[in-house]
Amino acid sequence: MFIYLLLPQLVFCNSSVVQHSDSPLGILAHVTNMSVDWVGYGYAALIATGGVVGYAKAGSVPSLAAGLLFGGLAGFGAYQISNDPNNVWVSLATSGALTGVMGKRFYGSRKFMPAGLMAGVSLLMVGKLSLALLQKPQES
């Protein structure tokens, strides 16, 4: 379900329509190449999928709710980064919160699945976003 909501945005968010009178049908679709945060969208899909799998395997409603909530926030953050590469704050807060929560769960249980995997992937995402934030000069 999540991917069906996300797919049209991925397809159409980077397109702009330019009117040309000499083109057939009167329009020429011109697609611009903005940077799409594919890693961020993949991370969001992983989070949401983890929540759905947790619900399917164990019947855990909190896992489903948390997976969909944090997956939606990560997807929104990836959308913001796709529109403005300097706007990393939602993604950074989401991945930072998941790093802390899932890292604590992994430390307590020592089970790699799912807490260790999510903590590791979230920590990598925090690193990616931190590097992107440090490499880009801020405009004032």
Side-chain angles (χ1 to χ4, degrees):
M1 173 79 175
F2 183 72
I3 196 71
Y4 294 120
L5 296 173
L6 198 60
L7 190 59
Q9 180 61 38
L10 291 175
V11 172
F12 295 116
C13 73
N14 293 335
S15 64
S16 61
V17 177
V18 179
Q19 295 286 340
H20 287 282
S21 60
D22 58 342
S23 68
L25 302 176
I27 6 179
L28 173 68
H30 174 359
V31 178
T32 60
N33 284 330
M34 290 175 39
S35 62
V36 177
D37 186 19
W38 292 111
V39 174
Y41 284 122
Y43 176 66
L46 179 70
I47 295 168
T49 303
V52 171
V53 168
Y55 176 73
K57 282 188 149 191
S60 172
V61 175
S63 176
L64 177 65
L68 294 179
L69 174 71
F70 279 98
L73 285 172
F76 177 66
Y79 171 75
Q80 284 186 325
I81 291 173
S82 295
N83 289 328
D84 179 14
N86 290 328
N87 196 1
V88 300
W89 301 111
V90 172
S91 289
L92 192 60
T94 302
S95 58
L98 277 176
T99 300
V101 169
M102 296 307 260
K104 184 175 187 244
R105 286 186 62 197
F106 174 65
Y107 184 75
S109 70
R110 299 289 183 200
K111 292 183 181 177
F112 181 71
M113 287 299 288
L117 176 69
M118 287 311 301
V121 171
S122 297
L123 186 62
L124 288 173
M125 194 68 181
V126 167
K128 173 200 172 287
L129 293 168
S130 298
L131 284 175
L133 191 63
L134 291 174
Q135 288 177 352
K136 296 197 181 272
Q138 297 294 325
E139 295 179 19
S140 50

